[in-house]
Amino acid sequence: MDDNHFKYSNSVIALPLFFVVLLWLIYWLEIRFDLDFVENGIFPRTLSGLQGIIFSPFIHADIEHLYNNSVPLLILLAALRYFYSKQSSEVIGFGIILSGFITWIIGRESYHIGASSLIYVLVSFIFFKGIKTKYYRLVAVSLAVVVVYGGLVWYIFPKVEEKISWEGHLAGLITGFVLSIIYKTPEFKKTVKYEWEHPDFNPIEDKFMQRFDESGNFVNLPVIEMEEEIPPYYSSNLSVDYTIVESKKNESKLES
């Protein structure tokens, strides 16, 4: 496999910028026209609260909340678009819906808002998918995500901080893991070029590997001794009876 799958495009920058600018625009409209979008968030186990599955990632409580979500979104959306361009749209779309629905099921009776659940979706997907592909560049990205955002794992537990929606964080983590299993990445599968790369390769049966001993030293193949061929013979289970016949010769009698 080569690195031709990793191609920079304008969408790598445009997608994160568009998403984050949209968040700031919505927050500006809320401040500018004295609106309150909090009630459009997820309110668990209520019919009206289902609308929050779509709207909640775009609603934030204050400017600090918005700023704390904006920076990770810029980085993670750019990484997702660059390394997983074919799966990025589905991961974002279904990530928002599935994580929101899980939050609607397990959440406390309060309004859950903010894009942090999507951040957990992205962190989880990039980490688990990179490890699963076993491709060195994607594994490196997974490790980088752990180093930078590994501390987020503490906020999936209750009572770490009362004001945050740990349910949304946990839902995002679960969703990212599920999506990393559902969406396949055959383009990153290593191409098998040699016989010994096959999973069912048996070195004992390989003629070339037989030329090496246990220490890796080159040896000659054992000489196979040809067994001496024994001429075939035949046997029978039938009994054979022999009769002895006395030989009588006609001898002329001498006349006296």
Side-chain angles (χ1 to χ4, degrees):
M1 189 196 75
D2 53 29
D3 295 333
N4 292 332
H5 301 288
F6 304 133
K7 293 182 178 179
Y8 174 80
S9 64
N10 293 333
S11 62
V12 175
I13 300 298
L15 175 64
L17 281 177
F18 173 78
F19 198 93
V20 172
V21 168
L22 179 61
L23 298 184
W24 283 86
L25 177 61
I26 293 173
Y27 184 75
W28 177 82
L29 291 174
E30 190 174 10
I31 300 301
R32 177 66 178 80
F33 297 100
D34 194 22
L35 302 173
D36 187 6
F37 295 148
V38 172
E39 293 185 358
N40 297 108
I42 299 173
F43 198 91
R45 297 172 297 280
T46 63
L47 187 61
S48 61
L50 286 172
Q51 64 177 328
I53 294 176
I54 302 298
F55 298 138
S56 63
F58 306 97
I59 305 170
H60 292 83
D62 50 45
I63 196 167
E64 182 182 1
H65 185 202
L66 178 58
Y67 174 78
N68 290 336
N69 285 341
S70 296
V71 176
L73 281 174
L74 285 171
I75 298 173
L76 293 170
L77 285 173
L80 178 72
R81 187 62 181 174
Y82 181 74
F83 291 103
Y84 301 98
S85 58
K86 294 181 180 180
Q87 298 83 14
S88 58
S89 300
E90 289 83 358
V91 170
I92 296 172
F94 288 109
I96 291 174
I97 294 173
L98 184 56
S99 64
F101 184 70
I102 295 175
T103 304
W104 183 81
I105 294 176
I106 67 174
R108 291 164 289 177
E109 292 186 356
S110 178
Y111 287 103
H112 298 257
I113 58 174
S116 56
S117 59
L118 178 59
I119 293 174
Y120 276 79
V121 171
L122 299 175
V123 170
S124 179
F125 178 84
I126 294 173
F127 172 74
F128 289 111
K129 197 63 190 175
I131 298 299
K132 193 173 185 301
T133 59
K134 299 180 181 179
Y135 180 55
Y136 73 99
R137 285 200 172 189
L138 298 179
V139 172
V141 174
S142 297
L143 297 178
V145 166
V146 169
V147 171
V148 178
Y149 298 108
L152 294 177
V153 71
W154 297 110
Y155 296 101
I156 66 172
F157 299 106
K159 298 183 180 180
V160 173
E161 188 174 338
E162 293 293 336
K163 294 182 179 180
I164 66 171
S165 174
W166 64 268
E167 300 95 330
H169 298 168
L170 178 60
L173 187 69
I174 295 172
T175 300
F177 174 72
V178 171
L179 294 178
S180 71
I181 297 175
I182 294 176
Y183 288 102
K184 308 299 181 182
T185 51
E187 63 272 22
F188 299 125
K189 187 177 181 180
K190 185 178 180 181
T191 304
V192 176
K193 296 182 180 179
Y194 307 101
E195 290 292 332
W196 53 267
E197 293 181 317
H198 288 279
D200 57 349
F201 173 73
N202 188 359
I204 299 177
E205 298 178 357
D206 186 75
K207 296 297 183 182
F208 178 75
M209 297 300 296
Q210 292 175 2
R211 305 302 297 270
F212 298 89
D213 60 14
E214 296 179 355
S215 302
N217 300 318
F218 183 81
V219 295
N220 292 322
L221 288 173
V223 179
I224 301 176
E225 296 182 359
M226 301 296 294
E227 297 182 357
E228 184 180 355
E229 294 185 359
I230 301 175
Y233 63 90
Y234 302 94
S235 62
S236 176
N237 294 327
L238 299 176
S239 60
V240 180
D241 297 329
Y242 295 94
T243 303
I244 300 175
V245 178
E246 183 179 355
S247 177
K248 296 181 179 181
K249 294 183 181 180
N250 295 324
E251 296 179 356
S252 60
K253 298 182 178 180
L254 297 177
E255 293 180 357
S256 57

